[in-house]
Amino acid sequence: MAARHQQRVAEFDRCLASEVIDLEFLREQSYGGIPEGGGRRATSWRILLGYLPVKRKLWEEVCQRKRVLYRQLVEEMIIATPEANSPVIEDHPLNLNPASHWQSFFKDNEVLLQIDKDVRRLCPDLTFFQQATTFPNPVVVGDPSCGLPAQEKLHARVTQAQLQAQNLERKGVGPSTLATSKKRAVEDYAPLSEGQEAHWEVVERLLFLYAKLNPGQGYVQGMNEIIGPIYYVLASDSRAGWKEHAEADCFFCFTNLMSDIRDFFIKTLDDSSTGIQAMMVRLNDRLTEVDQPVATLLHDQGIKMQYFAFRWLSLLLSQEFALPDVLRLWDALLTDDTRSNLLINVCTAMLFLVRDNLLNNDFASNMKMLQNYPLMDMRLVLGKAKELSNNS
C-alpha cells in the first residue's frame, strides 16, 4: 500500500512538473484524491478552476497580471472613499440622487452587513478562519516601508456602535430624570492587533469585491460556503511564495467557479434549464432511473427534493460533510467541466448508500437523516458516483 501511494505521488508530481500539463491525466488522478502536501491540491485546484493554464511557462505572466489587477480592484472599489470618488461639491451623505457615490456607499453597506454575518460562521468547528493570516493585505493593513497607511477594515464599516437608550427613572418624589444606559454590540471574535488580519476578514473582502463587480447578481447567502474551501486550500499551501498570493488567486478561482454555477444563485433563473429547480428535477429523474423504490418512497412520504437537495446542489455539498471530506469530494467534483453531471451522480450515490434506512424509516426520521447526512466514507460515495457515471 505504501509503495503504491509513493508511486501515485510520484506520478502526480511528474504531471504537475510537466511543461504542458496533461489535463485528462490530472483529472483522472484528482478524482482518486489529490495527495496531501507539497502544494499539490492548491496547484491542481488552480488548474482545474481555470486560473492556471496548462502551459507552465505561462504561469508567471498570468499570475503577475492577475495579482496586479486584483490589487487595483481592491484599491479602486474597496479602499476608495465616497469623498475620493466624488470630487464634485454637490455630492454629500444626504444626497438622494441615485448616481451619488454616497448612495452607493450606503447600499454597499447593506450587502456588507450580510457578508459580515456569514463569513463569521465559516467552518465553526475549525479555528482556521479566526486565526491571523501570515500575509495580510498591505493595501488594507498598511506598509510603513512603502509609505502605505492602514485603512479602515470592512467589518468596521458595519460594526454596530454603542447603542444609547434613555430610560425614565423616578428617584424619590422629585422630578423625573433621564438615565442613559449603554449597550455594546457583541463582537464575535476578539480583535487582532494592528497590522494583522484574520482569514475571515480576507474572505469578507473577497465576497464584497465579487458582489460589487457583479451588481446584477450581487451577494447571495451560500456563496461564503463556496469560497470557503477554495480559500482554505490556497491559504494553507506549504509553499510561502504561493501562499502569499492566496487572496488574489482565490478571487479569480472563485469567480471562475461562480461563472459555471452562478445560475444556482439567481432567483429569477430558478426555473430555467440551468437553474436550481432544473437541477433538482435532474436529480429526481436520475434517482428514479437508478433506484425506483427509493424515488417512490420519497414521493409517497411527501419528501420533496427542495427539502434537502436544494442545499446539497447549490452549495456543492460543502455543508454535508466535514471539511477534510469536502476537500476530498471537491478534488473529484472539480474534474467535471459541466459542474453538474458528477454532482448529480454524487447526490444520487448518497441516497443509494442510505437506501436501507430510507426504506425502513418514517417521514420524520428520513427528513432528519437527509438534512443531516450520516458519516460516510467518501471513497464509498465517490466509488458509487463513478459507477453511476460509467453507466449513464
Side-chain angles (χ1 to χ4, degrees):
M1 182 67 73
R4 172 60 188 139
H5 176 72
Q6 291 176 357
Q7 179 186 354
R8 188 165 178 276
V9 170
E11 291 174 350
F12 213 98
D13 288 343
R14 278 197 296 272
C15 174
L16 294 180
S18 302
E19 286 303 312
V20 179
I21 308 296
D22 185 338
L23 197 53
E24 285 307 311
F25 182 80
L26 178 63
R27 286 175 176 152
E28 179 185 340
Q29 293 297 306
S30 296
Y31 190 98
I34 298 173
E36 299 287 346
R40 297 181 186 90
R41 177 171 281 128
T43 300
S44 299
W45 281 25
R46 283 181 172 97
I47 297 170
L48 294 173
L49 286 168
Y51 176 68
L52 289 178
V54 294
K55 294 183 178 180
R56 281 184 63 92
K57 66 179 182 180
L58 299 178
W59 286 9
E60 184 176 353
E61 184 273 330
V62 168
C63 289
Q64 182 178 6
R65 175 166 45 85
K66 293 286 190 179
R67 291 163 184 173
V68 169
L69 173 59
Y70 180 76
R71 181 184 177 113
Q72 292 173 344
L73 291 173
V74 171
E75 290 174 340
E76 295 171 9
M77 307 199 73
I78 293 183
I79 302 302
T81 63
E83 292 95 333
N85 287 328
S86 305
V88 182
I89 297 177
E90 287 77 6
D91 199 6
H92 52 80
L94 299 180
N95 189 348
L96 298 180
N97 188 331
S100 164
H101 287 287
W102 278 102
Q103 287 297 310
S104 299
F105 180 80
F106 294 137
K107 289 180 180 178
D108 285 347
N109 278 0
E110 295 176 7
V111 175
L112 184 56
L113 181 60
Q114 184 61 60
I115 294 175
D116 188 72
K117 291 178 181 177
D118 291 347
V119 294
R120 294 169 187 260
R121 302 173 183 145
L122 267 174
C123 301
D125 296 336
L126 298 177
T127 61
F128 173 81
F129 287 97
Q130 300 174 36
Q131 296 172 5
T133 172
T134 311
F135 298 99
N137 195 318
V139 176
V140 176
V141 301
D143 186 350
S145 64
C146 301
L148 281 175
Q151 304 292 333
E152 180 185 47
K153 294 184 177 182
L154 286 177
H155 68 86
R157 280 173 52 172
V158 293
T159 298
Q160 294 185 12
Q162 291 183 346
L163 303 177
Q164 295 192 356
Q166 291 185 317
N167 300 325
L168 185 64
E169 292 184 352
R170 181 178 296 277
K171 296 182 179 180
V173 294
S176 300
T177 60
L178 288 173
T180 300
S181 65
K182 297 182 179 180
K183 298 180 181 178
R184 186 178 298 276
V186 177
E187 186 66 39
D188 292 317
Y189 303 117
L192 300 178
S193 60
E194 187 176 347
Q196 290 187 317
E197 280 191 301
H199 289 294
W200 66 265
E201 295 180 72
V202 180
V203 175
E204 181 173 41
R205 182 163 55 249
L206 288 164
L207 290 171
F208 184 55
L209 181 58
Y210 178 83
K212 285 180 68 68
L213 289 171
N214 296 272
Q217 179 185 25
Y219 172 76
V220 180
Q221 280 187 286
M223 290 181 180
N224 57 310
E225 308 296 351
I226 298 295
I227 199 173
I230 300 174
Y231 177 78
Y232 176 83
V233 167
L234 302 191
S236 301
D237 199 327
S238 58
R239 304 163 300 170
W242 287 96
K243 186 176 183 178
E244 180 179 1
H245 301 286
E247 178 180 344
D249 293 358
C250 177
F251 177 77
F252 293 105
C253 287
F254 172 69
T255 299
N256 289 348
L257 180 57
M258 284 304 302
S259 70
D260 294 331
I261 65 170
R262 67 190 302 269
D263 291 358
F264 296 176
F265 293 89
I266 300 178
K267 191 171 182 60
T268 55
L269 296 178
D270 279 357
D271 297 320
S272 71
S273 60
T274 55
I276 193 64
Q277 294 289 347
M279 287 288 290
M280 289 188 286
V281 170
R282 284 180 59 190
L283 175 57
N284 188 67
D285 291 345
R286 187 69 177 125
L287 178 63
T288 302
E289 294 173 5
V290 172
D291 198 335
Q292 180 68 58
V294 169
T296 300
L297 176 89
L298 295 181
H299 178 269
D300 291 347
Q301 289 189 351
I303 300 177
K304 299 179 180 179
M305 288 289 164
Q306 292 94 317
Y307 297 164
F308 65 94
F310 181 92
R311 187 178 70 187
W312 287 15
L313 295 166
S314 62
L315 301 185
L316 306 185
L317 295 166
S318 61
Q319 292 296 284
E320 311 315 313
F321 304 99
L323 184 59
D325 284 337
V326 171
L327 301 185
R328 174 66 187 83
L329 172 62
W330 279 30
D331 286 347
L333 289 181
L334 296 182
T335 65
D336 179 17
D337 275 346
T338 70
R339 305 295 183 221
S340 62
N341 292 345
L342 179 56
L343 178 61
I344 292 291
N345 281 321
V346 169
C347 292
T348 305
M350 289 168 60
L351 291 168
F352 182 85
L353 290 171
V354 295
R355 70 183 309 272
D356 290 343
N357 290 332
L358 287 170
L359 293 173
N360 290 290
N361 286 342
D362 58 13
F363 170 85
S365 299
N366 282 335
M367 278 293 297
K368 182 177 181 181
M369 180 173 63
L370 293 176
Q371 292 181 343
N372 298 276
Y373 195 78
L375 290 174
M376 186 74 64
D377 188 334
M378 190 53 64
R379 290 173 297 182
L380 290 177
V381 176
L382 291 173
K384 184 61 182 180
K386 190 170 186 176
E387 178 187 327
L388 294 175
S389 297
N390 292 336
N391 294 334
S392 59

